[in-house]
Amino acid sequence: MNLKANRSTIGFIGVSLLIIVFVQVLISVGVLSAFWATLISIGAVMGIVSLGLNLIYGFNGQFSLGQWGFYAIGAYTAADVTYRWSQEHSASGLVIVSLVVLLVGGSFLLIRYMLSRIRGLDPLSAFSLYLIGVVIAGFLAVKIGQFIINPVTAMFNILPASLAMQIIFFLAVLLAGALAAEVSFIFGMPVLTLGSDYFGIATLGFTIIVKVLLDNSDVLLGFEEMKGARGMVGIPKLTSWLWVSLFLLAVVIVTRNLLHSSNGRAMISVREDEIAAKAMGIDLAQQKTLTFVLGSFFAGLAGALYAHINGFLHPNTFNFIKSFDPMIIIVFGGLGSVTGTVMAAFAWALVLEGVLRLVLPTGFETWRFVVYPVLLLIMMLLRPKGLFGAFEFPFLRQVLPPLRKSQGSAATTPKPTIAEGD
Amino acid sequence: MTDQNQPLLLEISALNKNFGGLRAVKNFELSIHKGELVGLIGPNGAGKTTVFNLITGIYVASSGTIKFKDQNMVGIPPFEITRTGIARTFQNIRLFPNLTVLDNVRIAYHSHAGYNLLDAIVRTPRFFHHEKELTERAQDFLGVFNLQDRQGEIAKNLPYGEQRRLEIARALAAEPQLLLLDEPAAGMNSKEVVTLMELIHFIRDRFKLTILLIEHQMRVVMGVCEWITVMDFGEVIARGNPAEIQSDPKVVEAYLGRGAAELAKKLSEKRSHVA
Amino acid sequence: MEKSTTAPPVSFFQRIIRGRWIGKFMLAAISILVTVGIAFKASQSPALFFQQLINGLQLGFVYALIALGYTMVYGIVRLINFAHGDVFMVGAFVSYFAIANFQLHAWPSAVIPEINPVISLVIGTISVIFLAMATCGFLAVTIERVAYKPLRDAPRISALITAIGVSFFLEYFGALPFVFTSNFITYKRPFEVTTWYIQNGIHHLEAGVEAPTGSVLFSNILIIIIIISLLLLASLQFIVRRTKVGKAMRAVSYDKPTARLMGINVDGIISVTFAIGAALAGAAGVLYATAYPQVVFWMGITPGLKAFVAAVLGGIGSIPGALVGSLIMGQAEVLSAGYISTPMRDAIAFTILILVLLVRPTGIFGEPEREKA
């Protein structure tokens, strides 16, 4: 916009890229062991999930505990896509998931267009109609998919193996995000009308329902390769530091651009005062849904990246108790602070999984979760507003436009008396 | 003063609102012509704010019609009502407390920001163009209210009087034709009240507004409004110009109780009235 | 300019929209489908159905005791006390140690050998329950004082995260080898289980004998759970409705600053609320362990969560709501385990909760939230 803003943009992206490359060099050279490399990747993944949750809770004020459910959906979706390619040499996962995402997304747009003419349709009714759309679109996707699996597989086989794998991985991550976003759209529609705490509980329920479904993914859902409660193995380990960090950077920039726009302001106004927002012409339902969907999209991305770090997924990772982790991170980082969220995510991963493991003497490993809540408590008591409060790096901070010295026609005629406030 | 030949802007008829067994608003009627400045007064709990909430769609009427620009507004969600041209302020100021003064005003432009989410995320030229334009418009607006130096301030840190002004500025930024002011003078000292009265006249003339005003301070109501409607227990008990209202025994009774009303009646000894 | 004031005719389509019929239709379809399915299964084997109902009742009453703690604490400080389920676990463990290590359930006959063994057992069992209740109450007050009270003026989320921290702490501290250990421990019941079966009248079931097919079983555990729960519920209702403390509790939950101005010791009342809720959870811990005789450090999570769901279902903050919600949850759990799918029962519990919230956004007995402008 102006020079200063541009400078901080270039500075921020430059410094971020430098850090990313630096860490990559450390990993390549072997200064950072595989253990620590995994941990910082997990930190970046947590950063992405938590940024999503910060949008939903920190900026839009919707107390969601469902982030972990969308994370799980993303993880298993992407894992299934890459698993089928790497283990079964079939693009069936990719084809079906992309068709589902496209057709369901298309059906949403179509239904939304049709419903936009109807005034005063309640969310539950809208939800029912969308649900019908999802069922039809999903059915069609599976049917159509059968015909194009083989050609698509053949097409990817032409490419060099590693390139094909990376492309499929990249697509899988995006599809995982998109699928999580679509699920959040349909789930959020009726549930976002609930009051704050009740919304939290309903979304907690969502996380638990997803976890239970994953526990039974082989029997009830029919995904043999997910192996239900035994845990899914054999996922290619494709998430490198470079992938996660670039995704994290992209998510940070998208978040920042969104927040400092009219949409972002509308989003925040909902958190500030719902009634005032309504009275200013803000469509609450639309803003809440939008934020929820975007936050879940980030969660889906993060889940997909997480799945390919260890190459192993277990439903217990998506336990509801763990669903508080992103919440803890954003509260520590400072609600409504992008900088704080990213920092807290790395700190959380490094301290909880890394430092605590190393610091505790052998035989005391089980003390990790005794020390952790104590740390949590002390932090809450000392810094209830989070580590960073509302602090932001310059690039992430809002730039205040320069003052307009009374030059326009409007500013010339204020009544002198108006100025005297008190 | 007012032009009765102007078209009707707002026409409320047979409006009722029940909360459970409580009838908060009973058969409320109100017509406002374009350009008028109308006051809505009544004792505490008479249902004035409920009427505002009904007009702006925060509550949905149990029965009756609210016609704004010949369109029935009952059942339309609040944000759409605002976009049709009704803006309001609140009895207890409702700013966006943690946002800057400038952002408070800029939010009002959201529905016609001129760019969409994708423009914002990718930062297209369209985004920069429209963002600049609406920022400048917001700054001009702040200028009108002499708040331009405060643009970077967090709204909740403003002194009370400025918060009031900001709230009115924000409401006007939504470009309404009808402005609803809910007790704008509440908590103001007499000097501030004078300023406020001038402000109300000023914005009415400057923005060609129609204003409906709830107020307890009689000085404001009598000094500013052209027409006054008096409510008590959810019903309209009197309407007329300030002079008529001041001498209406029903109004006196509603405000001061029956004894005082009888006293007033004896004193005036002109009209007889049985409640 | 003026149009006629008669309302425009409302079309069939508009009526469907205004009456929210599409959504209602969907919910109705779901509930009818489920009801018909269960009714069909029940008609095939009524005995099994009634057996499920009885099992559900037993579970429901235990949930009710836990749910009350959630509901009371939420009602008074608006905090979802996630540590409550772990307090329940502590109650179960305390009773386990009291019985297994100290034979507390048999103290009257140890002190006065000639006492009637039945009376001894009754007094002993009640002592065990009281001990668990007292310990849990004390624990909860300590937690409240240490962890929640300093955060009373902080944002609500801080207290919530602290509650999660406390929950972690209780679990993993309990898992340490010198505390409760991380193993499953078989619980020792204070009394023997006696089972009856209903088939043309009530008959005593001898140990080691198969119950005849088509009969419905119930045991003294069921009776004890119901009696003790009802007694505790009645005393709670008495405390809240009739005593000065109860009146103060209601005042504090309604409006804290005003209650303080009226001379009520708000902090004290909050502590009392925590203590009462935790005491009920402690009793629930004993009863739950008696019914399902196994204790482990994470045993509080699932019942705690279920009870919490029950409290929300009934309308959080409402005492009768907690009871009704818990009974529904108990039935839902056994019926879904029996007729739909055992592994899915947690998911079903939450599905029910979400569906109920969509119809009644603040639960069955919850007061509707009213927007104020």
Side-chain angles (χ1 to χ4, degrees):
Chain A
M1 209 187 313
N2 54 35
L3 201 67
K4 202 180 153 208
N6 268 332
R7 199 182 299 153
S8 73
T9 308
I10 294 165
F12 178 82
I13 295 179
V15 170
S16 311
L17 287 177
L18 271 181
I19 294 175
I20 289 171
V21 171
F22 179 67
V23 172
Q24 181 60 48
V25 167
L26 287 186
I27 294 172
S28 312
V29 173
V31 177
L32 282 177
S33 63
F35 172 72
W36 288 102
T38 309
L39 278 192
I40 48 172
S41 296
I42 288 180
V45 165
M46 287 310 285
I48 300 174
V49 206
S50 309
L51 277 176
L53 184 62
N54 209 353
L55 275 186
I56 299 171
Y57 183 53
F59 290 104
N60 199 28
Q62 304 306 309
F63 178 57
S64 169
L65 295 171
Q67 194 72 354
W68 214 237
F70 297 112
Y71 182 67
I73 290 177
Y76 270 88
T77 308
D80 200 49
V81 170
T82 52
Y83 178 92
R84 287 189 185 205
W85 176 255
S86 67
Q87 306 288 331
E88 296 169 6
H89 304 289
S90 145
S92 56
L94 182 71
V95 169
I96 303 280
V97 173
S98 3
L99 278 175
V100 167
V101 165
L102 288 178
L103 290 183
V104 169
S107 78
F108 283 169
L109 291 180
L110 186 71
I111 296 173
R112 201 178 127 81
Y113 173 72
M114 293 194 307
L115 294 187
S116 64
R117 293 149 182 225
I118 304 173
R119 251 179 184 171
L121 188 68
D122 63 307
L124 198 57
S125 300
F127 168 75
S128 319
L129 297 174
Y130 278 103
L131 205 60
I132 297 170
V134 169
V135 171
I136 296 173
F139 177 76
L140 282 180
V142 174
K143 286 286 159 217
I144 298 171
Q146 307 299 340
F147 295 106
I148 53 172
I149 288 174
N150 289 334
V152 174
T153 311
M155 211 175 75
F156 274 102
N157 274 330
I158 300 170
L159 296 170
S162 67
L163 179 66
M165 190 73 248
Q166 291 294 333
I167 292 176
I168 287 180
F169 170 61
F170 181 68
L171 289 176
V173 173
L174 291 185
L175 286 174
L179 192 72
E182 282 171 1
V183 175
S184 77
F185 175 77
I186 188 136
F187 175 73
M189 194 177 328
V191 171
L192 278 165
T193 56
L194 296 176
S196 154
D197 282 358
Y198 294 92
F199 175 71
I201 293 155
T203 45
L204 176 69
F206 175 79
T207 304
I208 290 174
I209 292 171
V210 169
K211 197 256 173 188
V212 170
L213 287 176
L214 291 178
D215 270 335
N216 304 292
S217 54
D218 47 350
V219 184
L220 281 173
L221 303 182
F223 294 106
E224 296 273 328
E225 66 277 10
M226 291 185 187
K227 296 201 183 62
R230 284 167 294 157
M232 184 173 183
V233 287
I235 309 159
K237 294 185 188 178
L238 293 167
T239 305
S240 60
W241 161 249
L242 230 46
W243 272 122
V244 255
S245 53
L246 290 177
F247 264 106
L248 177 63
L249 183 62
V251 165
V252 167
I253 293 174
V254 166
T255 309
R256 175 261 187 193
N257 285 356
L258 171 74
L259 288 175
H260 301 165
S261 75
S262 190
N263 291 88
R265 289 190 291 266
M267 198 179 271
I268 298 172
S269 76
V270 174
R271 167 195 78 187
E272 291 288 294
D273 190 328
E274 291 202 0
I275 289 178
K278 263 193 239 178
M280 295 323 295
I282 306 283
D283 183 347
L284 288 191
Q286 193 191 16
Q287 288 304 325
K288 288 182 183 177
T289 312
L290 184 69
T291 324
F292 193 53
V293 167
L294 204 63
S296 309
F297 175 72
F298 292 167
L301 291 183
L305 292 167
Y306 172 79
H308 298 84
I309 291 182
N310 293 325
F312 171 69
L313 284 180
H314 193 279
N316 278 354
T317 314
F318 306 105
N319 204 324
F320 84 93
I321 294 173
K322 294 225 170 46
S323 75
F324 293 109
D325 289 350
M327 193 52 104
I328 290 170
I329 288 173
I330 62 168
V331 171
F332 271 172
L335 281 177
S337 160
V338 175
T339 314
T341 304
V342 176
M343 293 296 169
F346 280 109
W348 180 88
L350 294 179
V351 170
L352 184 63
E353 299 290 332
V355 176
L356 273 187
R357 267 185 214 277
L358 296 183
V359 164
L360 292 173
T362 38
F364 284 85
E365 286 85 1
T366 41
W367 279 78
R368 195 155 63 99
F369 282 102
V370 182
V371 178
Y372 171 55
V374 175
L375 285 180
L376 209 66
L377 243 154
I378 295 172
M379 293 280 282
M380 276 293 107
L381 294 178
L382 293 183
R383 301 221 54 153
K385 291 238 159 151
L387 282 178
F388 288 81
F391 170 81
E392 295 283 14
F393 283 138
F395 166 71
L396 301 171
R397 219 177 285 157
Q398 178 160 2
V399 185
L400 209 61
L403 275 184
R404 276 161 72 81
K405 300 277 175 273
S406 50
Q407 16 119 323
S409 58
T412 49
T413 50
K415 287 227 163 183
T417 42
I418 300 169
E420 293 155 29
D422 58 338
Chain B
M1 215 165 23
T2 37
D3 190 356
Q4 285 285 350
N5 299 325
Q6 284 283 337
L8 271 176
L9 187 65
L10 182 76
E11 189 187 12
I12 302 176
S13 46
L15 189 70
N16 283 294
K17 177 66 191 172
N18 307 334
F19 292 114
L22 176 77
R23 287 185 75 186
V25 174
K26 285 178 238 170
N27 282 327
F28 184 82
E29 315 258 336
L30 180 67
S31 301
I32 302 179
H33 294 264
K34 222 169 174 167
E36 282 179 340
L37 217 166
V38 179
L40 182 59
I41 65 170
N44 283 325
K48 304 176 302 275
T49 301
T50 309
V51 170
F52 268 29
N53 285 337
L54 289 168
I55 297 175
T56 49
I58 288 175
Y59 296 155
V60 178
S62 307
S63 67
T65 53
I66 301 171
K67 276 193 185 166
F68 178 66
K69 295 195 282 188
D70 279 329
Q71 195 189 350
N72 191 358
M73 291 282 146
V74 175
I76 293 178
F79 71 92
E80 281 186 31
I81 292 180
T82 308
R83 291 177 189 181
T84 359
I86 301 180
R88 71 175 290 185
T89 66
F90 295 87
Q91 195 173 340
N92 325 306
I93 306 176
R94 276 175 176 267
L95 293 168
F96 302 116
N98 298 307
L99 292 182
T100 59
V101 169
L102 181 66
D103 280 350
N104 263 282
V105 176
R106 281 201 286 189
I107 282 168
Y109 296 125
H110 175 62
S111 50
H112 31 91
Y115 59 84
N116 59 29
L117 187 65
L118 228 59
D119 289 320
I121 288 177
V122 192
R123 297 270 136 144
T124 56
R126 192 147 63 130
F127 165 81
F128 286 114
H129 172 74
H130 286 283
E131 181 76 2
K132 185 155 179 274
E133 189 185 276
L134 72 86
T135 303
E136 286 173 359
R137 251 162 66 200
Q139 286 177 320
D140 285 348
F141 238 101
L142 288 175
V144 175
F145 291 85
N146 264 353
L147 287 165
Q148 70 271 48
D149 299 332
R150 299 282 198 173
Q151 63 162 350
E153 204 114 358
I154 299 297
K156 68 178 173 193
N157 298 340
L158 289 183
Y160 187 81
E162 290 189 353
Q163 290 197 10
R164 277 270 176 226
R165 260 192 282 149
L166 176 58
E167 203 190 18
I168 295 175
R170 188 184 65 176
L172 289 176
E175 294 174 356
Q177 285 144 293
L178 176 65
L179 178 66
L180 309 179
L181 298 174
D182 197 345
E183 295 198 32
M188 286 189 172
N189 62 32
S190 55
K191 195 177 139 213
E192 287 170 326
V193 167
V194 175
T195 316
L196 178 83
M197 286 164 68
E198 286 176 38
L199 178 68
I200 291 174
H201 276 300
F202 168 71
I203 55 175
R204 201 259 299 249
D205 298 340
R206 174 108 171 40
F207 300 101
K208 311 268 178 298
L209 278 176
T210 311
I211 296 178
L212 176 61
L213 174 85
I214 293 179
E215 191 46 71
H216 272 303
Q217 296 205 24
M218 283 307 137
R219 193 150 67 102
V220 179
V221 183
M222 298 304 166
V224 164
C225 299
E226 292 144 2
W227 299 101
I228 294 172
T229 298
V230 190
M231 280 182 88
D232 195 15
F233 295 112
E235 282 175 301
V236 175
I237 56 168
R239 61 178 95 235
N241 61 33
E244 288 165 4
I245 293 297
Q246 268 167 323
S247 56
D248 190 322
K250 268 197 205 167
V251 178
V252 180
E253 186 188 317
Y255 267 92
L256 302 173
R258 179 168 294 201
E262 275 164 9
L263 191 66
K265 193 174 75 179
K266 275 180 200 157
L267 287 173
S268 63
E269 290 202 349
K270 279 185 179 170
R271 269 175 276 179
S272 61
H273 168 74
V274 184
Chain C
M1 271 285 114
E2 287 190 32
K3 283 182 185 169
S4 67
T5 47
T6 50
V10 180
S11 72
F12 174 70
F13 184 64
Q14 276 173 319
R15 242 176 239 170
I16 288 182
I17 301 295
R18 289 216 186 132
R20 310 181 158 201
W21 285 113
I22 303 173
K24 283 181 190 167
F25 178 77
M26 184 197 67
L27 289 183
I30 293 174
S31 22
I32 289 172
L33 223 66
V34 172
T35 320
V36 168
I38 289 177
F40 177 69
K41 293 260 177 90
S43 69
Q44 284 183 326
S45 162
L48 184 64
F49 180 70
F50 283 112
Q51 186 67 60
Q52 304 280 21
L53 286 190
I54 285 180
N55 294 348
L57 204 64
Q58 178 172 317
L59 202 57
F61 272 104
V62 176
Y63 285 164
L65 289 181
I66 313 174
L68 286 169
Y70 278 115
T71 234
M72 288 168 68
V73 166
Y74 185 89
I76 210 151
V77 283
R78 301 270 174 272
L79 166 72
I80 302 171
N81 183 11
F82 276 105
H84 192 63
D86 302 296
V87 171
F88 157 87
M89 173 272 290
V90 172
F93 267 99
V94 166
S95 70
Y96 165 75
F97 286 122
I99 295 167
N101 296 9
F102 303 102
Q103 277 78 42
L104 186 69
H105 64 292
W107 72 267
S109 52
V111 176
I112 319 162
E114 61 270 21
I115 199 170
N116 182 331
V118 176
I119 293 176
S120 158
L121 204 60
V122 169
I123 297 176
T125 308
I126 290 175
S127 318
V128 170
I129 293 177
F130 270 124
L131 177 72
M133 289 173 75
T135 317
C136 289
F138 180 73
L139 177 67
V141 172
T142 316
I143 293 172
E144 197 270 325
R145 282 287 146 110
V146 174
Y148 302 150
K149 197 175 161 213
L151 290 168
R152 200 148 297 153
D153 299 320
R156 243 155 37 97
I157 183 72
S158 313
L160 186 79
I161 288 191
T162 311
I164 295 160
V166 172
S167 161
F168 267 137
F169 181 80
L170 290 179
E171 280 164 30
Y172 287 95
F173 188 74
L176 293 176
F178 55 87
V179 189
F180 301 150
T181 78
S182 55
N183 306 321
F184 279 97
I185 298 170
T186 310
Y187 189 79
K188 192 172 175 303
R189 293 192 177 102
F191 49 83
E192 295 304 312
V193 182
T194 319
T195 313
W196 293 273
Y197 66 91
I198 308 173
Q199 193 175 41
N200 310 322
I202 299 172
H203 310 278
H204 183 253
L205 185 70
E206 301 297 331
V209 180
E210 280 277 312
T213 46
S215 63
V216 178
L217 294 171
F218 68 98
S219 67
N220 53 349
I221 295 177
L222 170 77
I223 298 167
I224 288 169
I225 286 182
I226 293 179
I227 290 176
I228 292 182
S229 307
L230 286 179
L231 278 178
L232 288 172
L233 279 169
S235 28
L236 177 71
Q237 194 66 9
F238 176 79
I239 291 174
V240 173
R241 292 281 149 207
R242 294 266 183 270
T243 63
K244 222 174 153 186
V245 176
K247 211 179 259 180
M249 274 161 69
R250 281 182 288 151
V252 173
S253 82
Y254 194 74
D255 186 342
K256 240 168 260 138
T258 312
R260 190 169 279 136
L261 287 178
M262 293 289 118
I264 293 172
N265 175 1
V266 172
D267 286 331
I269 292 298
I270 291 175
S271 294
V272 169
T273 311
F274 269 89
I276 294 178
L280 293 174
V286 182
L287 297 179
Y288 188 83
T290 314
Y292 312 96
Q294 219 172 28
V295 286
V296 67
F297 72 98
W298 48 261
M299 67 179 278
I301 300 176
T302 313
L305 197 65
K306 289 283 173 54
F308 172 59
V309 171
V312 179
L313 188 70
I316 196 156
S318 147
I319 290 177
L323 178 62
V324 172
S326 303
L327 293 179
I328 293 176
M329 266 300 111
Q331 297 302 345
E333 183 163 344
V334 291
L335 290 181
S336 54
Y339 293 126
I340 303 173
S341 147
T342 314
M344 287 298 287
R345 61 180 181 207
D346 291 4
I348 289 166
F350 265 99
T351 311
I352 293 174
L353 174 73
I354 293 174
L355 290 179
V356 169
L357 286 183
L358 292 183
V359 182
R360 289 194 63 95
T362 52
I364 299 171
F365 285 81
E367 283 166 21
E369 290 174 346
R370 218 179 94 187
E371 277 187 305
K372 275 199 166 175

